[in-house]
Amino acid sequence: EVQLVESGGGLVRPGGSLRLSCEASGFPFSTYWMHWVRQAPGKGLVWVSRINTDGSITSYADSVKGRFTISRDNAKNTLYLQMNSLRAEDTAVYYCARVYWNFDFWGRGTLVTVSS
Amino acid sequence: QSALTQPRSVSGSPGQSVTISCTGTSSDVGGYNYVSWYQQHPGKVPKLMIYDVTKRPTGVPDRFSGSKSGNTASLTISGLQAEDEADYYCCSYAGSPWVFGGGTKLTVL
């Protein structure tokens, strides 16, 4: 059974940092591009970042470029999102998703709240 | 990286058909056949309903269909059922980034 389990969310002050993790199981993790998508409370889905199979290619939405870093450890079947200089507008549920030209499987998400 | 444009809401009665549009540009929807649609019930995880513009994943009813003309993609749901009431999002590859639509709330009257 395919599983994606996010963790690492929580309450953080503006300007702070958090590291999200997404542990994958039930499929060959190292063969999939992986993405992060976020959803602010009551709002729509917004693409955040992606990483290729070996971690050598990454892309970011303009809103997080320079502040967020995506990475992966294929030996641990885990995807990461390092989030620095957090802002109130980064408050959202962060989903990791497996992608092969479509987002065919999503984790349950982890809530990040940026507030003083 | 502008969001794709979707109507905020659509509605229909059980048994009727509804179509949700998703308008982008030649850099996303019009430029690639990697348009997908997602259904999200309140508090739930998004579910893939249509991929590659017209294809349905295993298990998705054939009441759901997708199409594209130029820079606009569409999701049609025929034979509306109560359980179809949800938010629907389109998504397109746009070169390096991906882009989602703003979402459409479907109400089954």
Side-chain angles (χ1 to χ4, degrees), chain A residues 39 50 59 61-62 102-103 106, chain B residues 1 38 40 45 48 96 98:
Chain A
Q39 186 170 34
R50 68 166 184 175
S59 303
D62 287 345
N102 58 79
F103 296 71
W106 303 60
Chain B
Q1 296 177 359
Y38 302 85
Q40 187 180 33
V45 175
L48 177 65
S96 173
W98 290 71

Side-chain angles (χ1 to χ4, degrees), chain B residues 32-49:
Chain B
Y32 305 93
N33 286 323
Y34 295 121
V35 176
S36 49
W37 290 89
Y38 302 85
Q39 177 192 65
Q40 187 180 33
H41 288 105
K44 300 297 185 181
V45 175
K47 176 185 176 184
L48 177 65
M49 305 300 286

Side-chain angles (χ1 to χ4, degrees), chain A residues 1-22:
Chain A
E1 179 193 6
V2 174
Q3 286 200 6
L4 294 171
V5 181
E6 300 93 338
S7 61
L11 175 63
V12 61
R13 296 190 185 280
S17 298
L18 274 180
R19 187 198 198 199
L20 306 184
S21 299
C22 169

Side-chain angles (χ1 to χ4, degrees), chain A residues 35 37 39 43-47 50 58-63 65 95 99-104 106-109, chain B residues 1 34-36 38 40 44-48 50-52 87 89 91 93 95-103:
Chain A
H35 294 230
V37 177
Q39 186 170 34
K43 302 297 185 182
L45 302 172
V46 176
W47 178 81
R50 68 166 184 175
T58 59
S59 303
Y60 300 91
D62 287 345
S63 58
K65 201 172 295 182
Y95 296 101
V99 177
Y100 185 73
W101 298 112
N102 58 79
F103 296 71
D104 73 336
W106 303 60
R108 290 185 172 274
Chain B
Q1 296 177 359
Y34 295 121
V35 176
S36 49
Y38 302 85
Q40 187 180 33
K44 300 297 185 181
V45 175
K47 176 185 176 184
L48 177 65
I50 295 288
Y51 68 98
D52 294 354
D87 293 324
Y89 296 91
C91 178
Y93 180 64
S96 173
W98 290 71
V99 61
F100 284 89

Side-chain angles (χ1 to χ4, degrees), chain A residues 35-112:
Chain A
H35 294 230
W36 289 98
V37 177
R38 69 184 182 184
Q39 186 170 34
K43 302 297 185 182
L45 302 172
V46 176
W47 178 81
V48 173
S49 182
R50 68 166 184 175
I51 188 167
N52 73 333
T53 56
D54 66 3
S56 61
I57 299 173
T58 59
S59 303
Y60 300 91
D62 287 345
S63 58
V64 307
K65 201 172 295 182
R67 300 187 299 123
F68 289 11
T69 302
I70 190 172
S71 62
R72 67 191 297 162
D73 184 336
N74 286 340
K76 295 182 178 179
N77 286 347
T78 303
L79 173 73
Y80 302 101
L81 186 67
Q82 177 66 44
M83 304 186 298
N84 299 330
S85 302
L86 283 161
R87 307 166 180 167
E89 55 264 36
D90 295 319
T91 294
V93 173
Y94 285 74
Y95 296 101
C96 67
R98 182 181 84 169
V99 177
Y100 185 73
W101 298 112
N102 58 79
F103 296 71
D104 73 336
F105 200 85
W106 303 60
R108 290 185 172 274
T110 186
L111 176 62
V112 172

